Amino acid sequence: MTEPVLVVAAAIVDDLDDPRVLLAARRSVPASLAGRWEFPGGKVEAGEDPIEAVHREIGEELGVSLRLGAEVTGPENGSWRLSSTYVMRLWFAELASPDPEPAPLVAHDELRWLGPGQWLSVPWLDADVPIVEAINPWPARASAPGR
């Protein structure tokens, strides 16, 4: 069995100490994922440190710099299984500066700040749903769309 490809991402919130707002990114490609929402990020390049990769990916995808917080550890050796091919490491993060505002530059066509009680209000990629549920400070009252 081959090693899974490591992907890194950021759960970008308004405040690392008291997160109330979460940034979601809507996929525009590939067609099989278009219209679904995810945490922004991407693949770690050969020889690249995962933390360097998350900073690079967010700069490329959203045009912003981040201040990283705690890693959101998953059930598979600290990672989150996305598919048979991919595993993801995820960090809480906040914008290093309010300017510029994040913009969907690569692979996304819309960004949305989800407020209190709205973190499950968009159709997340299936693999991201358990992660959102794990970090969501508000208990879900109803099933999220697209599930």
Side-chain angles (χ1 to χ4, degrees):
M1 187 167 134
T2 61
E3 285 290 313
V5 175
L6 179 59
V7 172
V8 292
I12 302 172
V13 295
D14 57 329
D15 186 314
L16 289 173
D17 296 323
D18 184 24
R20 303 194 49 77
V21 179
L22 173 68
L23 185 69
R26 188 172 68 186
R27 294 289 312 209
S28 57
V29 291
S32 62
L33 302 178
R36 303 288 297 276
W37 297 77
E38 69 175 357
F39 296 102
K43 295 177 196 166
V44 177
E45 295 177 355
E48 188 176 33
D49 177 80
I51 290 177
E52 291 171 357
V54 75
H55 284 289
R56 176 187 53 74
E57 283 287 341
I58 298 304
E60 290 172 2
E61 288 190 1
L62 307 179
V64 296
S65 297
L66 298 177
R67 188 171 17 265
L68 291 186
E71 185 170 359
V72 180
T73 56
E76 191 169 314
N77 297 320
S79 298
W80 298 90
R81 173 64 64 177
L82 299 180
S83 70
S84 61
T85 308
Y86 298 100
V87 294
M88 181 171 72
R89 289 181 61 188
L90 177 79
W91 286 264
F92 276 111
E94 64 185 8
L95 298 176
S97 168
D99 295 315
E101 265 294 306
L105 303 176
V106 177
H108 302 104
D109 62 2
E110 184 179 340
L111 302 177
R112 186 176 299 169
W113 289 101
L114 305 173
Q118 298 176 333
W119 288 22
L120 289 164
S121 67
V122 297
W124 290 91
L125 294 175
D126 292 342
D128 286 356
V129 171
I131 305 168
V132 178
E133 290 174 341
I135 67 172
N136 184 12
W138 300 276
R141 289 187 172 46
S143 181
R147 293 187 52 194

